[in-house]
Amino acid sequence: MTIDYVHGYSELEARRLGDQANALAALLHEGTAYPAGSRVLEVGCGIGAQTAHLVAGSPGARIVAVDVNEESLAQARSRVAATSPGAAVEWLCGDLFDLPFPESSFDHLFVCFVLEHLRDPQRALVELRRFLRPGGTVTAIEGDHGSALFHPDSAAARAAIDCQVQLQSTAGGDALIGRKLQPLLADAGYAGITVQPRPVYADQNRPELVEDFTRNTFIAMIESIGADALAAGLTTPDAWRRGTADLHRTTGAGGTFHYAFFKATAVNPLKAPGV
Amino acid sequence: MTIDYVHGYSELEARRLGDQANALAALLHEGTAYPAGSRVLEVGCGIGAQTAHLVAGSPGARIVAVDVNEESLAQARSRVAATSPGAAVEWLCGDLFDLPFPESSFDHLFVCFVLEHLRDPQRALVELRRFLRPGGTVTAIEGDHGSALFHPDSAAARAAIDCQVQLQSTAGGDALIGRKLQPLLADAGYAGITVQPRPVYADQNRPELVEDFTRNTFIAMIESIGADALAAGLTTPDAWRRGTADLHRTTGAGGTFHYAFFKATAVNPLKAPGV
């Protein structure tokens, strides 16, 4: 299965993902640290934005990072080489529905901003569970565009965000997946599921976060799909200009921006359910 | 000014506010503890749902709790007498725009779920600042219905929530005020403003929270305005039934519910701005 990746693979997008990972690293990775020697599988590592933080947070873990895209993987490799020289990450180009690992060959599974792009995220979680030893854990992190909430509020800005939701949906993904992690994991046979919202909130008193998250992560992501949204007839040039201008107003004095990520952890049960 | 209080004063409503305070106490009050001997003014204490937790969290503080409604105040008094016998709370029935205190007579100001009901929350914050000594702090906590996010998603459920937003707006209030705390406090002359989202997330793995928050706080609040929403022509009996039924589906197996409160703290500057 080829993933129809809504965000594209441009250099701008690579920078956006890098900014995002730096601004959000503490927020997203807090609580994730794997013991030395444990075998960790990261699927959909992309350009290694999260891999770099995994390596930093779990220096002794044996991380295998997989992505379907060769170019992204090359960037991931250089990123981690730069941030953690000598880190023993094993890189693999492959489709997450067709991975070459034996059953139960990992202690932990890490999946961040990947399920949102899949046509069948539940099947992916089922497939990946086979590679996890009984008692091993999964960590899944996703956003949910329904959580975007800002001041000044603006129907035009909300419509621009909705264009992204619709495009991602057309591509087979789901930009509202954060709220669904619990049922997805439960239906895929995991146990001990815990989901936590991890909100980001930025106003003028946190200028770096306004810059890193509101402007360079969220608004940049929305702006990057402008041409596609116009081509798909989801917006007009005027509406798009108004919507993105209104999003930028939330970065000014008196503006505020809130977004929630959802972080789930769960366990591969010792016995298969019902056995 | 008489507050046109959208939630009403029924006994059911009093129980709802009590449930809410218990389920959310840890979440909302974390980080709020006033030193022994400090003078704390709580305005809009209502039935004392938060007062009880203030007293518990700051046993040595000298708390003055004010509400405009005599009956609520009587309930607040019995609630605190029951939860913290012997607590030295001073109760005052009065309008927050016409309070009898000398200037600078308090060290701390606590305002929870009050600004959302005011026609001019900024003026309230300006007026109340006079009672705060220079260097004293304000803590303001509010919800924001725009943060309600749930699975299964439902346009009917979102429309039911929007009825509450519209009714509250018609009554002069603002159910989307959480995102505005930073500009409100800044424009009212406060400094050192910090706003934190305090999210609640409940799914079947946290059954007490599903019960206490999703069902007995949030859905109960929406259901309590059904008759008013119908009378105002904001919904139809069918749409209302569908919307509230869909809200209840979020409390079942595989359902999830997210809501964000916003907690702000700020300081009354030592010098008036511009002086």
Side-chain angles (χ1 to χ4, degrees):
Chain A
M1 175 188 270
T2 304
I3 300 170
D4 188 357
Y5 188 59
V6 69
H7 302 312
Y9 289 104
S10 72
E11 215 179 295
L12 196 71
E13 172 65 11
R15 200 156 62 236
R16 187 184 76 79
L17 292 173
D19 282 343
Q20 173 167 304
N22 291 328
L24 301 180
L27 181 85
L28 300 181
H29 285 265
E30 199 203 315
T32 300
Y34 301 114
S38 58
R39 303 156 302 170
V40 179
L41 173 62
E42 182 191 12
V43 290
C45 70
I47 60 162
Q50 307 307 325
T51 321
H53 295 291
L54 277 182
V55 168
S58 305
R62 291 150 55 195
I63 298 171
V64 177
V66 175
D67 201 84
V68 73
N69 184 279
E70 278 282 12
E71 268 181 59
S72 299
L73 211 57
Q75 287 182 63
R77 200 187 283 258
S78 356
R79 172 183 297 266
V80 170
T83 55
S84 299
V89 176
E90 202 176 309
W91 305 95
L92 179 77
C93 189
D95 184 322
L96 72 79
F97 287 98
D98 187 26
L99 293 175
F101 309 115
E103 285 201 13
S104 301
S105 49
F106 290 95
D107 301 300
H108 304 288
L109 179 60
F110 184 85
V111 195
C112 184
F113 306 148
V114 173
L115 300 173
E116 60 164 328
H117 297 297
L118 303 180
R119 247 166 244 287
D120 193 344
Q122 190 187 313
R123 187 164 75 84
L125 288 169
V126 170
E127 295 282 319
L128 290 170
R129 193 160 68 77
R130 291 193 303 122
F131 303 124
L132 207 51
R133 69 163 165 80
T137 75
V138 61
T139 296
I141 303 176
E142 295 291 345
D144 191 314
H145 289 3
S147 71
L149 177 149
F150 40 85
H151 178 72
D153 197 6
S154 149
R158 280 185 272 121
I161 296 170
D162 199 48
C163 288
Q164 152 91 34
V165 174
Q166 288 181 64
L167 280 179
Q168 192 156 341
S169 172
T170 304
D174 183 356
L176 309 175
I177 201 170
R179 71 189 79 181
K180 298 168 196 160
L181 289 178
Q182 188 276 328
L184 278 172
L185 286 160
D187 293 345
Y190 293 84
I193 302 164
T194 306
V195 178
Q196 292 180 331
R198 297 268 171 122
V200 187
Y201 165 85
D203 65 32
Q204 68 190 71
N205 296 311
R206 302 207 50 190
E208 306 83 6
L209 201 54
V210 170
E211 186 65 17
D212 287 351
F213 182 73
T214 313
R215 190 174 289 123
N216 294 341
T217 300
F218 191 84
I219 298 178
M221 171 187 70
I222 298 302
E223 288 180 331
S224 75
I225 57 102
D228 290 346
L230 285 162
L234 296 173
T235 186
T236 64
D238 263 9
W240 186 255
R241 248 191 311 275
R242 219 167 36 246
T244 51
D246 283 359
L247 280 175
H248 279 285
R249 283 170 63 207
T250 71
T251 67
T256 70
F257 195 92
H258 167 280
Y259 188 89
F261 295 93
F262 290 82
K263 179 169 184 170
T265 55
V267 176
N268 184 22
L270 294 176
K271 288 187 175 191
V275 174
Chain B
M1 174 188 273
T2 305
I3 301 171
D4 189 356
Y5 187 60
V6 68
H7 302 311
Y9 289 104
S10 71
E11 216 179 296
L12 196 69
E13 173 64 10
R15 200 157 60 236
R16 186 183 74 80
L17 293 173
D19 281 343
Q20 174 168 305
N22 291 329
L24 300 180
L27 181 83
L28 301 181
H29 284 265
E30 198 204 316
T32 300
Y34 301 114
S38 58
R39 303 156 301 170
V40 178
L41 173 61
E42 182 191 11
V43 290
C45 70
I47 61 162
Q50 306 307 326
T51 322
H53 296 290
L54 277 183
V55 168
S58 305
R62 291 150 57 196
I63 297 169
V64 178
V66 175
D67 201 84
V68 71
N69 184 278
E70 277 282 12
E71 267 181 58
S72 299
L73 212 57
Q75 286 182 63
R77 202 186 283 258
S78 356
R79 173 183 295 265
V80 171
T83 56
S84 299
V89 175
E90 202 176 308
W91 304 95
L92 179 77
C93 189
D95 184 322
L96 70 80
F97 287 98
D98 186 27
L99 294 176
F101 309 116
E103 283 198 15
S104 302
S105 50
F106 291 94
D107 302 299
H108 304 287
L109 179 60
F110 183 85
V111 195
C112 184
F113 306 148
V114 174
L115 300 173
E116 61 163 327
H117 296 298
L118 303 180
R119 247 168 244 286
D120 193 343
Q122 190 187 315
R123 188 164 76 84
L125 288 169
V126 170
E127 296 281 319
L128 291 169
R129 192 160 66 78
R130 292 192 303 124
F131 304 126
L132 206 50
R133 68 162 166 82
T137 75
V138 60
T139 297
I141 303 176
E142 295 291 345
D144 191 314
H145 288 4
S147 70
L149 177 149
F150 40 85
H151 178 72
D153 197 7
S154 149
R158 280 185 272 121
I161 296 170
D162 199 47
C163 288
Q164 152 91 34
V165 174
Q166 288 182 63
L167 280 179
Q168 192 156 339
S169 171
T170 304
D174 183 356
L176 309 176
I177 201 169
R179 70 189 79 181
K180 298 168 196 160
L181 288 178
Q182 189 275 329
L184 279 171
L185 286 161
D187 293 345
Y190 293 84
I193 302 164
T194 306
V195 177
Q196 292 180 330
R198 297 268 171 121
V200 187
Y201 166 84
D203 65 33
Q204 69 191 67
N205 296 311
R206 301 206 50 190
E208 307 81 6
L209 201 55
V210 170
E211 187 65 18
D212 287 351
F213 182 74
T214 313
R215 190 174 290 122
N216 294 341
T217 301
F218 192 85
I219 298 179
M221 172 188 69
I222 298 302
E223 287 181 331
S224 75
I225 57 102
D228 290 346
L230 285 162
L234 298 173
T235 185
T236 64
D238 262 10
W240 187 255
R241 248 191 311 274
R242 218 167 35 246
T244 51
D246 283 358
L247 281 174
H248 279 284
R249 284 169 62 205
T250 71
T251 67
T256 70
F257 195 92
H258 167 278
Y259 187 89
F261 295 93
F262 290 82
K263 179 169 185 171
T265 55
V267 176
N268 184 22
L270 294 177
K271 286 186 174 190
V275 172

